[in-house]
């Protein structure tokens, strides 16, 4: 077992995520490299100051623009929208590993016999007109549908049929306009060797091992306990998770880590041992200041973040306004090796203004000249990312 101080564990996590020191990822290739490293990034359509996936990338990718992600998704087709940790963006080469979920969606369709004829109408319409959204084709029908593989559902027949065909893998998201999704036939864009591949890991235990290893890599460090980091891995209960960790340890695919002041054993992938070695050399990397996405991979296990960083974060977007401690869409604020506070930032695109509505600093944070300089640089970069020419700071102190 490797022993780390709390600071070394924080350094490891931040280096793993490309959030400490010089930027490790640059441009479009950097986006692709990072998504491949973490397996997937969560997608959320809410856009207060950038969508979640864009926020994840802007904090790590030098020269990131929203167009880079769009091009990788909808032009290069090297990334794809598909449920993984909830709704997500992942490398297209991982498509075969989710065949069991598409098969479950195909079985699920049998609960809606009226959908078969409607599905054929969608196929004909796309063949004649190309990519469509739910407003382009009004299908007759009256049934309440729920997705088998994520939380989508409702009584809108057109949207339900398109989402069902998306769940089975017959359709993919061709592009998006704002929050509106346009669908097209998957076979036009995914290579046959991927599209038609059989499930690579038919044994459920092997599938669980692949997904757990992937999630450990997505966060950097995880423990064998209940966690939001395991969301959407079907059948992974405590007993199954315990066996997965036992086998991954026996196969030397993960390494146990003991961290000062953290009761539970943590684990990292064996591929990340060079980063462990790097932090054991007690580096003094260059500090950066970054705004972190609310559903950032780094934040997937918030109890872990609290244990390592002493930072208690809750995304309050679904909290009633009168019960919020902070705000509707608040981003953790990273400076160097510490999460120093949280910021409520709004991009007012009509006026081209980035509004820093409020910053709540953690106890003991001193606004030194160095920190102020780093904050200004961070918000200037964030304004550029959001296409804003001016910054209105209602509260920076």
């Amino acid at each position: 077992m490797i022993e780390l101080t709390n600071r070394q564990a924080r350094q490891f996590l931040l280096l793993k995520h490309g959030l400490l020191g010089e930027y490790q990822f640059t441009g479009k290739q950097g986006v692709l490299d990072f998504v491949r490293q973490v397996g997937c990034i969560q997608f959320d359509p809410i856009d207060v100051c950038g969508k979640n996936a864009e926020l994840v990338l802007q904090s790590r990718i030098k020269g990131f623009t929203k167009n880079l992600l769009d091009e990788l998704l909808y032009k290069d087709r090297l990334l794809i929208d598909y449920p993984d940790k909830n709704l997500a963006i992942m490398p297209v080469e991982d498509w075969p590993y989710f065949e069991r979920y598409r098969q479950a969606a195909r079985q699920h369709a049998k609960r809606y016999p009226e959908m078969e004829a409607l599905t054929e109408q969608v196929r004909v319409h796309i063949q004649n007109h190309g990519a469509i959204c739910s407003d382009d084709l009004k299908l007759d029908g009256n049934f309440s549908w729920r997705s088998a593989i994520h939380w989508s559902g409702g009584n809108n027949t057109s949207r339900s049929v398109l989402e069902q065909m998306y769940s089975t893998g017959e359709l993919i998201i061709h592009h998006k306009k704002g929050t509106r999704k346009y669908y097209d036939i998957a076979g036009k864009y995914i290579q046959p060797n991927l599209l038609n591949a059989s499930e690579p890991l038919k044994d459920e235990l092997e599938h669980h091992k692949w997904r757990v290893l992937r999630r450990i890599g997505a966060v950097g460090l995880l423990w064998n306990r209940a966690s939001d980091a395991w969301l959407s891995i079907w059948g992974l209960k405590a007993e199954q998770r315990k066996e997965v960790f036992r086998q991954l340890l026996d196969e030397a695919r993960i390494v146990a880590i003991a961290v000062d002041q953290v009761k539970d054993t943590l684990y990292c992938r064996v591929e990340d041992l060079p980063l462990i070695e790097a932090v054991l050399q007690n580096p003094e990397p260059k500090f950066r200041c970054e705004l972190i996405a609310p559903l950032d991979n780094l934040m997937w296990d918030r109890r872990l973040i609290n244990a390592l960083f002493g930072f208690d974060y809750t995304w309050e977007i679904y909290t009633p306004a009168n019960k919020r401690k902070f705000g509707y869409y608040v981003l953790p604020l990273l400076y160097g090796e510490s999460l120093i506070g949280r910021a409520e930032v709004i991009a007012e695109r009509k006026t081209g203004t980035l509004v820093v509505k409020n910053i709540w600093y953690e106890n003991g944070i001193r606004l030194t000249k160095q920190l102020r300089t780093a904050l200004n640089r961070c918000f200037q970069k964030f304004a550029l990312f959001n296409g804003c020419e001016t910054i209105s700071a209602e509260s920076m102190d």
Side-chain angles (χ1 to χ4, degrees):
M1 181 178 290
I2 297 172
E3 296 184 359
L4 297 179
T5 66
N6 199 283
R7 183 191 179 194
Q8 287 169 335
R10 294 197 310 271
Q11 284 186 332
F12 167 77
L13 269 184
L14 295 172
L15 286 171
K16 166 75 174 169
H17 281 275
L19 288 168
L20 186 62
E22 300 293 342
Y23 287 96
Q24 298 172 29
F25 304 96
T26 302
K28 186 190 285 189
Q29 187 60 48
V31 173
L32 186 59
D33 290 344
F34 177 74
V35 177
R36 283 174 170 162
Q37 173 181 294
V38 295
C40 77
I41 51 178
Q42 256 182 280
F43 174 79
D44 187 89
I46 296 168
D47 189 352
V48 174
C49 53
K51 299 183 182 73
N52 184 77
E54 297 166 344
L55 293 170
V56 171
L57 296 170
Q58 65 80 31
S59 65
R60 295 160 168 86
I61 314 298
K62 187 176 182 180
F64 177 74
T65 65
K66 298 173 186 180
N67 285 340
L68 296 183
L69 181 58
D70 277 355
E71 288 177 11
L72 284 164
L73 280 164
Y74 308 126
K75 180 181 176 183
D76 306 327
R77 303 286 171 183
L78 295 172
L79 299 177
I80 192 166
D81 301 277
Y82 201 71
D84 182 348
K85 185 182 180 290
N86 299 331
L87 296 177
I89 293 169
M90 63 176 162
V92 70
E93 61 261 27
D94 289 347
W95 178 265
Y97 290 91
F98 295 83
E99 174 59 23
R100 65 180 59 227
Y101 298 93
R102 292 187 288 275
Q103 185 58 43
R106 294 177 195 121
Q107 289 295 116
H108 182 68
K110 295 177 181 178
R111 298 176 57 183
Y112 305 94
E114 60 269 70
M115 196 173 281
E116 186 174 350
L118 299 176
T119 298
E120 185 56 33
Q121 288 184 45
V122 171
R123 294 187 187 114
V124 171
H125 188 89
I126 291 178
Q127 183 178 356
N128 293 332
H129 302 283
I132 60 170
C133 70
S134 57
D135 286 346
D136 292 336
L137 182 62
K138 297 300 181 185
L139 299 173
D140 294 329
N142 185 22
F143 56 90
S144 180
W145 171 86
R146 300 296 304 175
S147 172
I149 64 173
H150 61 92
W151 61 76
S152 182
N155 298 313
N156 183 313
T157 302
S158 298
R159 187 172 65 213
S160 295
V161 174
L162 289 169
E163 286 274 359
Q164 171 64 22
M165 295 174 74
Y166 168 68
S167 297
T168 64
E170 183 172 353
L171 300 182
I172 63 166
I173 294 175
H174 178 269
H175 68 281
K176 295 172 185 163
K177 288 185 179 178
T179 59
R180 194 170 300 283
K181 294 174 285 190
Y182 287 75
Y183 299 89
D184 205 347
I185 302 297
K188 294 181 183 179
Y189 306 99
I190 301 178
Q191 296 176 3
N193 64 314
L194 292 176
L195 182 69
N196 303 319
S198 58
E199 173 73 44
L201 303 169
K202 293 183 180 179
D203 179 78
E204 184 176 55
L205 176 60
E206 290 302 312
H207 178 76
H208 280 161
K209 284 161 64 176
W210 181 80
R211 297 205 71 189
V212 166
L213 193 62
R214 197 162 177 264
R215 294 289 174 89
I216 294 173
V219 178
L221 289 172
L222 278 175
W223 38 30
N224 180 13
R225 58 184 283 183
S227 170
D228 282 354
W230 313 127
L231 285 174
S232 307
I233 305 179
W234 292 2
L236 187 71
K237 297 180 181 177
E239 183 180 349
Q240 289 82 4
R241 193 179 67 245
K242 182 178 179 181
E243 179 62 16
V244 164
F245 271 84
R246 186 189 71 78
Q247 291 201 19
L248 290 175
L249 273 170
D250 286 348
E251 295 167 9
R253 299 169 76 183
I254 59 175
V255 179
I257 309 280
V259 178
D260 284 351
Q261 303 170 30
V262 177
K263 179 182 176 182
D264 293 90
T265 300
L266 299 175
Y267 301 87
C268 75
R269 297 189 310 174
V270 71
E271 298 98 304
D272 292 326
L273 281 176
L275 278 179
I276 297 286
E277 293 296 327
V279 301
L280 289 174
Q281 302 304 312
N282 295 315
E284 293 292 340
K286 177 183 175 182
F287 273 28
R288 282 186 10 225
C289 186
E290 301 285 358
L291 289 159
I292 304 299
L295 300 174
D296 196 287
N297 300 56
L298 179 69
M299 309 298 294
W300 281 1
D301 192 317
R302 288 168 185 156
R303 284 181 295 182
L304 177 64
I305 291 299
N306 200 355
L308 294 179
F309 290 83
F311 186 75
D312 185 11
Y313 178 70
T314 299
W315 194 34
E316 296 184 308
I317 194 167
Y318 299 117
T319 303
N322 63 340
K323 295 183 178 180
R324 290 181 190 136
K325 292 182 179 179
F326 301 103
Y328 169 73
Y329 202 88
V330 171
L331 309 181
L333 184 59
L334 175 72
Y335 178 57
E337 301 170 11
S338 303
L339 289 161
I340 64 166
R342 59 208 84 204
E344 186 173 15
V345 187
I346 300 168
E348 293 185 351
R349 296 184 176 92
K350 288 184 178 180
T351 62
T353 303
L354 186 78
V355 179
V356 183
K357 191 171 181 180
N358 209 338
I359 300 178
W360 297 267
Y361 295 102
E362 294 290 277
N363 291 335
I365 297 301
R366 291 176 54 247
L367 279 173
T368 63
K369 183 178 178 181
Q370 185 180 18
L371 175 53
R372 287 181 184 276
T373 299
L375 284 167
N376 287 334
R377 188 178 298 119
C378 173
F379 285 110
Q380 286 167 9
K381 180 170 77 79
F382 200 67
L384 183 64
F385 155 72
N386 275 291
C388 296
E389 296 178 355
T390 59
I391 300 174
S392 171
E394 296 182 13
S395 176
M396 290 282 281
D397 297 324

